[in-house]
Amino acid sequence: GGSSGITLSIATAWTGEWFLPFFQITALYFVVDLLWVALVPKCVKSPATIVQHHIATICYILIPYYYPFVRWVMGACMSVEVNTWCLIARRVFNKQGLPPWILNLPLGVSIRIKLISVLFYTSWILIRIVLYPVIWVVLFALWKEYSIEVGTGWNVLAIALPLHTVFCALNINWTFDLLLSKIRYWRKGGKEKIDKGL
C-alpha cells in the first residue's frame, strides 16, 4: 500500500476495494457476450448452451455482490476466462486448424501455435478440471458452516452449490467433447481439422 491507502493485490481485487469495478466489468462482459451470442449464434459451436451458461453466470455473480464473505469465490471462478481467451486465441491464430506438433510449419507459426496450445490445455486442466471441483468442495464446507450460523440449510449458498455444480458438469461435458474430437482426429490419421471446442 502507499500513502493513498490503496492496496493492490489479488486478494483485494477479489474481496476489497477493487471488488465493485471487478464485479461491474465482469457483469458487463457477460451481458455483452450474451447479446453477441444471441444476435450472432454462429460465432460459437453451441449457442444455446453458451446463452444458458451466461444467464446462470450473471445470476451466480449476484451472490458475491450481496454476500461479501464469498467474493473470493467469484475471483477464483472468473479465472476460467484465462482459458476462454486461450480458446479464442486458438481460433484467431490457427484458423486452418493446423495440429500444433507437426514439424513442417514455419518457425514463427509453429512457436505461436505451440505456445497457445500449451497455454490452452494447461489452463483447461488446472482451472476447469482441478480448480472448479476444488471450489465445489470448499463451497459445500462453507454452506455447512453458514447453515449452522443462520440456523437453516435453505440459504444463499444452497443456491450457489447447484449453480456451481452446473458449471462443473459443463466443464466435464466440454472436456469429454474435446477428448472425443482428439480421438476422432487421431483415428483419421490427422486428416481433419483440429476441433477448437465450445
Side-chain angles (χ1 to χ4, degrees):
S3 58
S4 65
I6 295 174
T7 53
L8 297 172
S9 73
I10 292 173
T12 20
W14 289 357
T15 60
E17 58 200 289
W18 295 100
F19 177 78
L20 188 57
F22 172 57
F23 172 81
Q24 291 167 334
I25 290 167
T26 302
L28 180 65
Y29 169 80
F30 279 102
V31 167
V32 169
D33 202 51
L34 172 64
L35 292 172
W36 178 257
V37 172
L39 294 171
V40 189
K42 65 181 180 182
C43 71
V44 291
K45 272 181 72 174
S46 324
T49 304
I50 300 298
V51 165
Q52 291 167 11
H53 169 273
H54 283 19
I55 291 168
T57 299
I58 292 164
C59 294
Y60 194 24
I61 66 173
L62 289 172
I63 295 170
Y65 181 79
Y66 289 106
Y67 295 86
F69 74 98
V70 288
R71 285 183 174 173
W72 67 269
V73 176
M74 180 179 162
C77 287
M78 287 304 111
S79 67
V80 78
E81 294 310 308
V82 170
N83 179 254
T84 302
W85 285 100
C86 290
L87 178 87
I88 292 166
R90 285 178 85 212
R91 289 186 181 142
V92 170
F93 296 113
N94 189 9
K95 289 181 180 166
Q96 303 88 353
L98 299 169
W101 307 112
I102 59 172
L103 300 175
N104 59 350
L105 291 173
L107 183 64
V109 173
S110 178
I111 290 171
R112 183 181 67 217
I113 291 173
K114 284 176 177 60
L115 178 63
I116 291 168
S117 286
V118 167
L119 291 172
F120 171 75
Y121 289 110
T122 302
S123 62
W124 186 288
I125 292 164
L126 292 177
I127 299 169
R128 294 184 188 272
I129 307 302
V130 176
L131 180 63
Y132 263 61
V134 167
I135 291 170
W136 190 95
V137 171
V138 173
L139 269 178
F140 184 74
L142 280 173
W143 170 74
K144 288 197 304 188
E145 285 176 30
Y146 192 61
S147 296
I148 293 166
E149 185 182 321
V150 297
T152 178
W154 295 103
N155 57 61
V156 69
L157 293 184
I159 299 166
L161 273 170
L163 283 170
H164 197 77
T165 302
V166 167
F167 295 128
C168 288
L170 280 171
N171 286 335
I172 291 166
N173 181 58
W174 288 332
T175 300
F176 186 69
D177 289 348
L178 190 63
L179 284 172
L180 284 180
S181 78
K182 298 298 167 212
I183 291 166
R184 280 193 306 272
Y185 173 79
W186 291 323
R187 281 188 180 157
K188 293 189 178 191
K191 291 187 173 65
E192 66 175 30
K193 286 172 77 170
I194 295 259
D195 186 10
K196 298 189 184 83
L198 306 181

